[in-house]
Coordinates of all heavy atoms in Angstrom, one line a residue:
K1374 N 10.2 -11.1 -4.7 CA 10.8 -12.1 -5.5 C 12.3 -12.0 -5.4 O 13.0 -13.0 -5.3 CB 10.4 -11.8 -7.0 CG 9.0 -12.4 -7.3 CD 8.8 -12.6 -8.8 CE 7.4 -12.9 -9.1 NZ 6.7 -11.8 -9.8
E1375 N 12.8 -10.8 -5.4 CA 14.3 -10.6 -5.4 C 14.9 -11.1 -4.1 O 16.0 -11.7 -4.1 CB 14.6 -9.1 -5.6 CG 16.0 -8.7 -5.6 CD 16.7 -9.0 -6.9 OE1 16.0 -9.2 -7.9 OE2 17.9 -9.0 -7.0
F1376 N 14.3 -10.8 -3.0 CA 14.9 -11.2 -1.7 C 14.2 -12.4 -1.0 O 14.6 -12.7 0.1 CB 14.9 -10.0 -0.7 CG 15.7 -8.8 -1.2 CD1 15.2 -7.8 -1.9 CD2 17.1 -8.9 -1.0 CE1 16.0 -6.7 -2.4 CE2 17.9 -7.8 -1.5 CZ 17.3 -6.8 -2.2
N1377 N 13.1 -12.9 -1.6 CA 12.5 -14.0 -1.0 C 12.0 -13.8 0.4 O 12.2 -14.6 1.3 CB 13.4 -15.2 -1.1 CG 12.6 -16.5 -1.0 OD1 11.4 -16.5 -1.3 ND2 13.2 -17.6 -0.6
I1378 N 11.3 -12.6 0.6 CA 10.7 -12.3 1.9 C 9.3 -11.9 1.6 O 9.0 -11.4 0.6 CB 11.5 -11.2 2.7 CG1 11.8 -10.0 1.7 CG2 12.7 -11.7 3.3 CD1 12.4 -8.8 2.5
P1379 N 8.4 -12.2 2.5 CA 6.9 -12.0 2.3 C 6.6 -10.5 2.4 O 7.2 -9.7 3.1 CB 6.2 -12.8 3.4 CG 7.2 -12.8 4.5 CD 8.6 -12.9 3.9
T1380 N 5.5 -10.1 1.6 CA 5.0 -8.8 1.7 C 3.8 -8.9 2.8 O 3.0 -9.8 2.7 CB 4.4 -8.3 0.4 OG1 5.4 -8.3 -0.6 CG2 3.7 -7.0 0.5
I1381 N 3.8 -7.9 3.6 CA 2.7 -7.8 4.6 C 2.0 -6.6 4.3 O 2.5 -5.5 4.5 CB 3.3 -7.9 6.0 CG1 4.0 -9.2 6.3 CG2 2.2 -7.7 7.1 CD1 4.7 -9.4 7.6
S1382 N 0.8 -6.7 3.8 CA 0.0 -5.5 3.5 C -1.2 -5.4 4.4 O -2.1 -6.3 4.4 CB -0.5 -5.6 2.0 OG -1.7 -4.9 1.8
T1383 N -1.2 -4.4 5.3 CA -2.4 -4.3 6.2 C -3.6 -4.0 5.4 O -4.7 -4.4 5.8 CB -2.1 -3.2 7.2 OG1 -1.5 -2.1 6.6 CG2 -1.2 -3.7 8.3
G1384 N -3.5 -3.3 4.3 CA -4.7 -3.0 3.4 C -5.3 -4.3 3.0 O -6.6 -4.5 3.0
N1385 N -4.5 -5.2 2.5 CA -5.0 -6.5 2.0 C -5.7 -7.3 3.1 O -6.7 -7.9 3.0 CB -3.9 -7.4 1.4 CG -3.6 -6.9 0.0 OD1 -4.3 -6.1 -0.6 ND2 -2.5 -7.4 -0.6
M1386 N -5.0 -7.3 4.3 CA -5.5 -8.0 5.4 C -6.9 -7.4 5.9 O -7.8 -8.2 6.2 CB -4.5 -8.1 6.6 CG -3.3 -9.0 6.3 SD -2.3 -9.3 7.7 CE -1.3 -7.8 7.7
L1387 N -7.0 -6.1 5.8 CA -8.2 -5.5 6.3 C -9.3 -5.8 5.2 O -10.5 -6.1 5.6 CB -8.0 -4.0 6.4 CG -7.2 -3.5 7.6 CD1 -6.8 -2.1 7.5 CD2 -8.0 -3.7 8.9
R1388 N -9.0 -5.7 3.9 CA -10.0 -6.0 2.9 C -10.5 -7.5 3.1 O -11.7 -7.7 3.0 CB -9.5 -5.8 1.5 CG -9.6 -4.4 1.1 CD -9.2 -4.2 -0.4 NE -7.7 -4.3 -0.6 CZ -6.9 -3.3 -0.4 NH1 -7.3 -2.1 0.0 NH2 -5.6 -3.5 -0.5
A1389 N -9.6 -8.4 3.4 CA -10.0 -9.8 3.6 C -10.9 -9.9 4.8 O -11.9 -10.6 4.8 CB -8.8 -10.7 3.8
A1390 N -10.6 -9.1 5.9 CA -11.5 -9.1 7.1 C -12.8 -8.6 6.8 O -13.8 -9.1 7.3 CB -10.8 -8.4 8.2
V1391 N -12.9 -7.5 5.9 CA -14.2 -6.9 5.6 C -15.0 -8.0 4.8 O -16.2 -8.2 5.1 CB -14.0 -5.6 4.7 CG1 -15.3 -5.2 4.2 CG2 -13.3 -4.5 5.6
K1392 N -14.4 -8.6 3.9 CA -15.1 -9.6 3.1 C -15.6 -10.8 3.9 O -16.7 -11.3 3.7 CB -14.1 -10.2 2.0 CG -14.7 -10.5 0.7 CD -13.7 -10.8 -0.3 CE -14.3 -11.3 -1.6 NZ -13.2 -11.7 -2.6
E1393 N -14.8 -11.2 4.9 CA -15.2 -12.3 5.8 C -16.2 -11.9 6.8 O -16.8 -12.7 7.5 CB -14.0 -12.9 6.5 CG -13.1 -13.7 5.6 CD -11.7 -14.0 6.3 OE1 -11.6 -13.8 7.5 OE2 -10.8 -14.3 5.5
G1394 N -16.3 -10.5 7.0 CA -17.3 -10.0 8.0 C -16.9 -10.3 9.4 O -17.7 -10.4 10.3
T1395 N -15.5 -10.3 9.7 CA -15.1 -10.5 11.0 C -15.4 -9.2 11.8 O -15.7 -8.2 11.3 CB -13.6 -10.8 11.1 OG1 -12.9 -9.6 10.7 CG2 -13.1 -11.9 10.2
E1396 N -15.2 -9.4 13.2 CA -15.6 -8.2 14.0 C -14.7 -7.0 13.7 O -15.3 -5.9 13.5 CB -15.3 -8.7 15.5 CG -15.9 -7.7 16.5 CD -15.4 -8.0 17.9 OE1 -15.1 -9.1 18.2 OE2 -15.3 -7.0 18.6
Y1397 N -13.4 -7.2 13.5 CA -12.6 -6.0 13.2 C -12.8 -5.5 11.8 O -12.7 -4.4 11.4 CB -11.2 -6.1 13.7 CG -10.3 -7.0 12.9 CD1 -9.8 -6.7 11.7 CD2 -9.8 -8.2 13.5 CE1 -8.9 -7.5 11.0 CE2 -9.0 -9.1 12.8 CZ -8.5 -8.7 11.6 OH -7.7 -9.5 10.9
G1398 N -13.2 -6.5 10.9 CA -13.6 -6.1 9.5 C -14.7 -5.1 9.5 O -14.7 -4.1 8.8
L1399 N -15.7 -5.4 10.3 CA -16.9 -4.6 10.3 C -16.6 -3.2 10.9 O -17.0 -2.2 10.4 CB -18.0 -5.2 11.2 CG -18.6 -6.5 10.7 CD1 -19.6 -7.1 11.6 CD2 -19.3 -6.2 9.3
K1400 N -15.7 -3.2 11.9 CA -15.2 -1.9 12.5 C -14.4 -1.1 11.5 O -14.5 0.1 11.4 CB -14.4 -2.2 13.7 CG -15.1 -2.5 14.9 CD -14.2 -2.5 16.2 CE -14.9 -3.1 17.4 NZ -13.9 -3.7 18.3
A1401 N -13.6 -1.8 10.6 CA -12.7 -1.1 9.7 C -13.4 -0.5 8.5 O -13.0 0.5 7.9 CB -11.6 -2.1 9.3
K1402 N -14.5 -1.2 8.1 CA -15.1 -0.9 6.8 C -15.5 0.6 6.6 O -15.2 1.2 5.6 CB -16.4 -1.7 6.6 CG -16.9 -1.6 5.2 CD -18.1 -2.6 4.9 CE -18.5 -2.5 3.5 NZ -18.8 -1.2 2.9

Side-chain angles (χ1 to χ4, degrees):
K1374 282 200 191 114
E1375 181 78 15
F1376 295 98
N1377 200 21
I1378 47 176
T1380 298
I1381 297 179
S1382 156
T1383 42
N1385 283 349
M1386 288 192 276
L1387 288 167
R1388 274 186 288 276
V1391 169
K1392 215 170 171 184
E1393 285 165 21
T1395 65
E1396 193 192 328
Y1397 71 74
L1399 293 176
K1400 281 191 193 153
K1402 189 175 186 311

